[in-house]
Amino acid sequence: MSSDQQYPYEQQQPYQEPYQQPYQQPYQQPFHDPGAAQTWEAETWDTQYQPTVRPAQSAAAADAVYLPPQGAYPLPPEAPEPAPAAYEPPAAAAGLAATGTAATGSAWYSAPTTVGNARITDAQRARAEGRSPIIAPGMQPAGLTAVLGLLLAGGAAIGSYALLVPLVLLQAVTAAGWFRLNGMWPARQGIALAFAGGLAADAVLIGVGRENAPAAIIGTLGVWVLLTLVLQLRSHADADERMSGLMATVASAALTILAAGHLAAADDAVVVGGIAVAVAVLVRALPLPGVASVVLSLLAAAGAGIAAGGLTDIGSAGALLGLAAGVCALVGLRVASYDYPSRFVHMTAGVALPLTAAAPAVYLIGRALV
C-alpha cells in the first residue's frame, strides 16, 4: 500500500485552513496607517476570543481624539443675569402708555421700555393722558367747506358742466383726505385710483344721463372694487399691509364715486343741499357747548333749506332736504375729527367729507321732492 493510501487526509489542506486562520489573525501585527485603521467589532469565528466592543462615539468626539493638544485659556467672566420684570397691575396703565408700551391687554406681560414704542399712535397717547382723541377741524376748514358748497350750488344753478368743476375738486380732496385720515401717506397710487373712479363715474353719468344714475354709480363702484382687488393681489407687501391698503382704497373709491351723486341729483336739490351744508358746518365750528352746537347746526341747516327752497321750485319742502343734508354733513365732520387727526387731515377730509356724505341725501330726497 502506498503512502498516499495510508494517509489519505494529510494532503487535504483546505480542511485545515478554517482552523488555522482564525488563530493566526488576532496575533498578527501587520503594518497599517493609523489614520486609515479600522476596528472589526462584530463576532469572529473564534469561539474562545472575543474583542471588547465599546459604545459608539459621536463623530465630533472621535475627531477630537486626533486633534493636536491645545493650550487652555480661562473663560470670560459671566455677565450677571437681569432681574425678571415685575408684574405691573392694571392701575399702571397710564404709566406704561406714557413710556411707550401699548395700552392693550397684552401690555401687562411685556417688559417696560425706556426708548418708547414707535407703534403707539397719537390717539392712544391722547387716551392714556386723559385727552380726547376727537378734535374738530375748526373754523378755517369749515370756511373752505362753505366756499366749496356755495360753488356747488352756483354750478348747479348754471348747469351740469359748470357743476362738474367744483365736483372734481371735491372728489380729489376726498380721495386724498381719506387716505391721510387712515394714516396712509404718501399713497399716490391709491389716491390716483380712487380719484380715477370718481372721474369715471362723472363721465358715465354725463354719457347715460341722470335717469340712469343708480346703474352708473353702482356699476362704476363695482368695477373699481374689482380693480382694487386685482391690484392688491399683485402687491408684494405682507398680509396686514395688503388688507389695510385694500380697505382704505375701497372706502376712498366708494366715497369719491358717491360724491358724483351731486351730478346725478336735480339742480335745485344741489342748490339747497350745498347751501344747507355750508351753513351747518359754519355754525358747528362756533365755540358753543357740544349738544347746543349740534342742535343749532341742524336748525340752521333746516332754515337755510327753507331760504334756498324759496329761490327754487322746491319751496318750503327744502327744510327737509336741508335738515337731511345737515345731518349727513355733521356725520362727515365727525369722521374727519376722529383719531386725533393732523392739520392736513382737517384741511382735506375735514373740508370734503361733509359735502361728500351729503351727496346721497341730496340725490334721494331731491328726487322725491322735485
Side-chain angles (χ1 to χ4, degrees):
M1 182 180 298
S2 63
S3 59
D4 295 339
Q5 296 178 352
Q6 293 179 358
Y7 304 98
Y9 301 102
E10 290 182 0
Q11 296 180 358
Q12 298 179 2
Q13 296 298 330
Y15 293 97
Q16 297 178 3
E17 289 179 359
Y19 298 97
Q20 295 176 1
Q21 188 68 17
Y23 288 101
Q24 295 175 1
Q25 286 182 355
Y27 300 100
Q28 291 177 356
Q29 299 295 334
F31 174 76
H32 44 257
D33 186 7
Q38 297 181 356
T39 303
W40 181 263
E41 296 180 355
E43 297 182 357
T44 62
W45 290 101
D46 189 2
T47 58
Q48 297 181 359
Y49 171 77
Q50 291 291 337
T52 303
V53 179
R54 299 181 180 179
Q57 299 178 351
S58 62
D63 294 340
V65 176
Y66 300 100
L67 293 177
Q70 300 179 357
Y73 299 95
L75 295 176
E78 297 182 357
E81 297 182 358
Y87 172 76
E88 295 291 342
L96 285 178
T99 57
T101 305
T104 57
S106 61
W108 317 126
Y109 303 98
S110 60
T113 59
T114 57
V115 296
N117 189 351
R119 298 182 63 86
I120 188 172
T121 62
D122 292 336
Q124 293 174 341
R125 184 176 292 106
R127 294 188 185 96
E129 295 176 359
R131 295 182 287 108
S132 175
I134 306 297
I135 296 179
M139 183 57 71
Q140 187 175 1
L144 294 177
T145 303
V147 171
L148 190 55
L150 293 177
L151 289 177
L152 288 172
I158 297 174
S160 298
Y161 290 98
L163 175 61
L164 192 61
V165 176
L167 178 60
V168 170
L169 178 60
L170 173 64
Q171 290 171 330
V173 179
T174 300
W178 184 260
F179 273 94
R180 188 62 184 90
L181 182 63
N182 286 268
M184 298 180 181
W185 189 265
R188 299 181 182 90
Q189 295 180 355
I191 294 173
L193 181 62
F195 180 58
L199 295 180
D202 298 340
V204 173
L205 282 172
I206 293 177
V208 301
R210 292 177 177 175
E211 59 276 6
N212 298 317
I217 293 178
I218 295 176
T220 305
L221 181 59
V223 171
W224 246 252
V225 169
L226 181 61
L227 182 60
T228 303
L229 287 173
V230 172
L231 293 179
Q232 289 297 327
L233 289 176
R234 294 174 57 87
S235 176
H236 298 286
D238 55 16
D240 294 337
E241 293 181 0
R242 281 188 294 177
M243 181 58 66
S244 300
L246 174 64
M247 299 303 296
T249 307
V250 169
S252 180
L255 290 173
T256 307
I257 293 172
L258 286 179
H262 291 290
L263 187 61
D267 295 334
D268 292 343
V270 176
V271 172
V272 174
I275 295 175
V277 170
V279 174
V281 295
L282 286 176
V283 175
R284 185 69 177 89
L286 296 176
L288 298 173
V291 178
S293 178
V294 172
V295 173
L296 289 178
S297 298
L298 296 179
L299 292 177
I306 295 175
L311 301 176
T312 61
D313 295 336
I314 296 179
S316 60
L320 177 61
L321 179 57
L323 180 62
V327 170
C328 295
L330 293 185
V331 171
L333 198 63
R334 179 74 173 185
V335 173
S337 306
Y338 186 69
D339 204 13
Y340 206 80
S342 63
R343 181 172 178 80
F344 187 86
V345 175
H346 287 163
M347 299 303 293
T348 53
V351 172
L353 287 184
L355 289 168
T356 301
V362 170
Y363 171 76
L364 293 175
I365 298 179
R367 186 177 180 181
L369 296 177
V370 178

